[in-house]
Structure formats: structure tokens, C-alpha cells
């Protein structure tokens, strides 16, 4: 209220700040108590909440009931576009999802992988023509921050595929930088390829992305090379986290 007059605020709390989840917990404390009273299994973080029931019919019934509780009792507006009744492995919660097995395992949600790739693609576009060592060093905090957040994921294939995709992007950068067939053959020979194979690869007429995934670039720049220059391996980091007591 301002001067005794009720006015509608046009701004909320800053996203990502500590005040936002605190206020969410205060406002939604009644929701937690209601869910406990009903005996529901649920997980809530700030205003993001998943409820787990035994069937689709039960899910639809609980969805309507809880939506009514939030809108009538707490006077909150539910985002109907983001709310849905579905299988747990088809939904994402805080960037995570789970497998469909009887004993489910935690995994990185596909939408989180797509967002991460989109962020990295922008970095790779800006990194064209850059020194590979310096560019790899700039990628380090981005990769470490992402894997630190998702280190609890139990499905390792996601990290393995992302590692391969990142290394291929870096090989693509190198192929673009070499430009001429002579430079490509020369650099491939420096990395241990025979003269005949180097020239055949350098003059194949294929594009940078194809060559970045071809055998000659994988032989010239294997995983060990990128480990040596300090590229963060997502798979290695998540395996290291699992080995810690």
C-alpha cells in the first residue's frame, strides 16, 4: 500500500537472488502442509513442484484439486502451459529427469542438454580464428560449472556424447583455421599422419564439419590431446565425483 491506496506491483524479486526462494517458501508453506496432510509424495523447490501418484487418472484428479487450492486458498495463479500430467521420465525438474526403469536412475533432461549445446555453439562461433589453448581455457569455467550442477546424474552416456561433440567442434575450428589444402596436409603430418593419408584427407573436398568427425582428425587429435591442453572432460569429472567418499 502506498499512501493508504492498494496498487498492483509491476516488478517482482530478482531472479536467482536468495530472496526469491525464501519468499516462495513462506508463501507455499501452506501448500507443503496440505500435501503432507493428504499423504502425497512430492518434491518442491521454490515455485517448481512435482507430485508423484500411481496413475494418470489420479494425477489429473490431484492436478485439478491442487490447482483449486492454490488459486482459491492462496490466491496464486498457476501456469497451465508448464503444468502437466505425464510419466516421470517425460518431465524435467530443475534440469533433471529420470529413466523409465523399475528402479529409475537420475539423468540430465534432454531440454537441459539442448540449452547447454546452444550456449556452447555461441561460444564456438565467437571462437573462430582464436588460439585453441586460450579458447579451451575460457571454456573451462563454463564446463566445470555445468558438470558441478549435474554431477548427481547417474546416466553417463549424456556426458560421453557431449564430450565427443565438444571435441568435434574444436577439431572443426582447427580445420577452418587451416583453410588451404597445403596447411591441412602439413598440420596433419605434424600430428603423426603419413604423407599419403595427410594429402588424401586434406584434398577430399568435404566440409569442415564432416572432416572434424572423420578418422584422420580423430587420429591427429584424439581425446588424449585435448586432455593434455586442459579441456574439461564432463565424463571424467562425473566419474571422479562418484569415486569420492
Amino acid at each position: 500500500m502506498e499512501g493508504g491506496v492498494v496498487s498492483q506491483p509491476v516488478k517482482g524479486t530478482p531472479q536467482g537472488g536468495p530472496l526469491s526462494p525464501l519468499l516462495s517458501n513462506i508463501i507455499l508453506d501452506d501448500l507443503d502442509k496440505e500435501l503432507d496432510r493428504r499423504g502425497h509424495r512430492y518434491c518442491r523447490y521454490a515455485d517448481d513442484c512435482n507430485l508423484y501418484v500411481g496413475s494418470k487418472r489420479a494425477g489429473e484428479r490431484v492436478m485439478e484439486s491442487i490447482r483449486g487450492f492454490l488459486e482459491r486458498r492462496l490466491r496464486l495463479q498457476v501456469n497451465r502451459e508448464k503444468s502437466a500430467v505425464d510419466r516421470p521420465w517425460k518431465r524435467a525438474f530443475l534440469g533433471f529427469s529420470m529413466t523409465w526403469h523399475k528402479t529409475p536412475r537420475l539423468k540430465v533432461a534432454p531440454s537441459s542438454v539442448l540449452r547447454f549445446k546452444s550456449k556452447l555453439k555461441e561460444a564456438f562461433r565467437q571462437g573462430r580464428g582464436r588460439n585453441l589453448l586460450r579458447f579451451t581455457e575460457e571454456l573451462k569455467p563454463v564446463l566445470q560449472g555445468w558438470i558441478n550442477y549435474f554431477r548427481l546424474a547417474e546416466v553417463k552416456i549424456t556426458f560421453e556424447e557431449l564430450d565427443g561433440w565438444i571435441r568435434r567442434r574444436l577439431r572443426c575450428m582447427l580445420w577452418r583455421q587451416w583453410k588451404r589444402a597445403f596447411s591441412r596436409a602439413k598440420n596433419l603430418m605434424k600430428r603423426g599422419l603419413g604423407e599419403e593419408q595427410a594429402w588424401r584427407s586434406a584434398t577430399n573436398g568435404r566440409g569442415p564439419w564432416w572432416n572434424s568427425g572423420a578418422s584422420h582428425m580423430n587420429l591427429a587429435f584424439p581425446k588424449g590431446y585435448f586432455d593434455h591442453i586442459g579441456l574439461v572432460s564432463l565424463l571424467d569429472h562425473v566419474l571422479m565425483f562418484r569415486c569420492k567418499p
Side-chain angles (χ1 to χ4, degrees):
M1 297 181 66
E2 296 180 2
V5 179
V6 177
S7 60
Q8 182 70 28
V10 294
K11 292 184 179 180
T13 57
Q15 188 172 6
L19 185 59
S20 184
L22 173 62
L23 292 177
S24 296
N25 286 334
I26 293 172
I27 296 297
L28 294 174
D29 183 59
D30 287 341
L31 172 64
D32 294 342
K33 291 177 180 177
E34 179 67 14
L35 294 174
D36 289 335
R37 186 184 69 79
R38 298 186 186 188
H40 287 312
R41 294 182 178 182
Y42 68 95
C43 185
R44 182 180 68 78
Y45 181 85
D47 62 343
D48 197 357
C49 184
N50 277 8
L51 282 79
Y52 304 98
V53 295
S55 66
K56 182 179 180 180
R57 180 179 295 181
E60 291 171 345
R61 184 178 66 250
V62 170
M63 167 79 81
E64 193 61 33
S65 174
I66 295 302
R67 181 183 291 153
F69 176 83
L70 289 168
E71 292 178 344
R72 291 192 295 271
R73 176 82 175 272
L74 301 184
R75 307 285 182 89
L76 297 174
Q77 185 176 357
V78 177
N79 190 327
R80 294 174 183 262
E81 292 182 0
K82 292 184 178 180
S83 303
V85 177
D86 210 339
R87 297 289 190 181
W89 54 87
K90 294 182 180 180
R91 301 294 293 170
F93 183 64
L94 303 179
F96 287 90
S97 186
M98 60 183 70
T99 64
W100 52 268
H101 301 91
K102 185 175 181 180
T103 303
R105 293 187 297 160
L106 203 61
K107 69 175 186 178
V108 183
S111 56
S112 299
V113 175
L114 289 176
R115 282 196 299 271
F116 186 53
K117 277 189 170 184
S118 179
K119 182 178 181 179
L120 289 177
K121 282 179 182 178
E122 182 60 31
F124 283 121
R125 278 193 291 268
Q126 296 175 0
R128 289 180 181 176
R130 301 274 304 281
N131 177 274
L132 187 65
L133 288 174
R134 285 198 293 268
F135 181 73
T136 301
E137 191 65 27
E138 291 175 9
L139 279 182
K140 185 178 292 187
V142 178
L143 299 176
Q144 285 181 333
W146 194 83
I147 194 58
N148 284 340
Y149 181 83
F150 287 106
R151 66 183 183 272
L152 296 177
E154 300 169 284
V155 179
K156 66 179 184 178
I157 187 65
T158 301
F159 307 113
E160 191 173 359
E161 290 177 348
L162 275 172
D163 277 340
W165 180 82
I166 291 168
R167 291 194 294 269
R168 185 171 180 179
R169 282 277 173 179
L170 293 173
R171 295 187 190 107
C172 188
M173 282 177 55
L174 289 172
W175 191 265
R176 288 180 185 275
Q177 289 174 7
W178 294 339
K179 294 183 180 179
R180 295 182 302 160
F182 176 79
S183 299
R184 290 167 178 170
K186 179 181 177 182
N187 281 290
L188 288 173
M189 284 187 282
K190 280 184 178 179
R191 291 297 305 163
L193 269 68
E195 184 176 354
E196 182 183 349
Q197 184 183 9
W199 276 106
R200 188 171 62 250
S201 302
T203 57
N204 60 32
R206 300 275 191 163
W209 183 246
W210 186 90
N211 278 283
S212 65
S215 59
H216 52 270
M217 285 297 282
N218 279 276
L219 288 171
F221 298 95
K223 180 182 181 298
Y225 170 81
F226 293 105
D227 290 340
H228 178 71
I229 65 173
L231 178 66
V232 173
S233 169
L234 303 176
L235 179 60
D236 289 351
H237 270 63
V238 79
L239 292 177
M240 180 181 66
F241 284 129
R242 292 180 188 178
C243 291
K244 287 184 177 179

